Amino acid sequence: MDKNNFLGGKHLLLASASPRRRELLSQLNVEVVQAPLKKVDENYPASLDVEEVAAFISRKKAHAYLGELGPDDILVTADTVVINRGEVMGKPADAREAEQMLRRLSGHTHKVITGVTVATDRTQTTFSEMTEVEFAELTDEEIAFYVENYRPLDKAGAYGIQEWIGYIGVTGIRGDYYNVMGLPLHALYRTLKKLVRR
């Protein structure tokens, strides 16, 4: 399959600083163009249901580009949150907060929700994907080793499932693995195919 074949020649723009999202999106055999990054206020109303937070923020990210998209552009924005016992976990501010987050995840099953918005100059579609991840009990030494040797500060919940902590800590997963990495590829592929068929 030639690159962009299933997109009918449309240009796929990714508005994300995440190298993981760009790598994942390129695995759909499409050429991905990095959209110029814009600073977006990622706050959300306190009354918002925790399972709606990621979708809400992904829409806010997309809104920053509306009016700038050409007729052949397809914009993808995304936001991932970890929900542990009703608490929304974003990215940790520092190593101390990363360790605290991992201690709260230790021995529990949490939800990873990614909200994705796909926008063109005429339409906008938002969806969410949820995956449950079960963690073993982690020792303080294991947590400290991960925080010291990896990069948890740019990850929701302070961990990357594709890294050491995922290898030794994740005992079960229900749902899309790639969603935990930051982009639900199956759902996004289906959404893009439906969009270009309109």
Side-chain angles (χ1 to χ4, degrees):
M1 187 196 309
D2 292 336
K3 282 193 181 298
N4 276 331
N5 189 41
F6 85 92
L7 291 179
K10 301 283 188 185
H11 305 130
L12 192 59
L13 309 177
L14 176 64
S16 174
S18 167
R20 290 172 303 283
R21 285 201 182 112
R22 179 162 188 164
E23 181 186 354
L24 286 171
L25 193 52
S26 68
Q27 296 305 311
L28 294 181
N29 204 35
V30 293
E31 186 176 337
V32 181
V33 176
Q34 175 73 57
L37 294 178
K38 299 191 177 199
K39 190 160 181 61
V40 175
D41 174 14
E42 297 189 13
N43 289 318
Y44 53 89
S47 59
L48 192 65
D49 187 296
V50 291
E51 296 195 4
E52 297 294 325
V53 168
F56 179 87
I57 296 173
S58 82
R59 277 193 297 270
K60 285 181 85 171
K61 291 177 178 179
H63 285 167
Y65 295 86
L66 298 185
E68 300 177 11
L69 299 177
D72 291 326
D73 292 337
I74 300 175
L75 177 76
V76 174
T77 59
D79 189 75
T80 301
V81 298
V82 167
I83 301 173
N84 185 41
R85 290 171 283 176
E87 175 193 6
V88 176
M89 291 181 169
K91 297 171 186 173
D94 52 34
R96 183 170 170 273
E97 188 178 6
E99 290 190 2
Q100 290 173 343
M101 284 185 176
L102 289 168
R103 284 193 194 98
R104 293 200 295 275
L105 293 176
S106 173
H108 293 279
T109 297
H110 61 271
K111 297 176 181 177
V112 178
I113 298 180
T114 299
V116 179
T117 298
V118 178
T120 69
D121 62 340
R122 293 167 297 143
T123 64
Q124 186 177 326
T125 303
T126 300
F127 66 89
S128 291
E129 190 77 18
M130 190 269 288
T131 304
E132 291 186 340
V133 181
E134 183 181 342
F135 258 114
E137 294 279 355
L138 301 170
T139 67
D140 287 345
E141 291 77 14
E142 288 165 343
I143 290 171
F145 173 82
Y146 176 70
V147 171
E148 209 172 296
N149 291 280
Y150 291 84
R151 299 175 60 187
L153 302 189
D154 69 343
K155 298 173 179 73
Y159 80 94
I161 194 170
Q162 73 279 13
E163 295 177 340
W164 181 82
I165 196 91
Y167 306 150
I168 65 104
V170 173
T171 58
I173 178 171
R174 286 180 291 280
D176 186 338
Y177 172 84
Y178 301 105
N179 183 51
V180 186
M181 288 179 67
L183 204 59
L185 289 180
H186 175 77
L188 179 55
Y189 176 69
R190 297 296 169 196
T191 300
L192 290 170
K193 279 187 73 174
K194 193 173 177 181
L195 176 67
V196 297
R197 283 176 181 166
R198 287 178 182 167

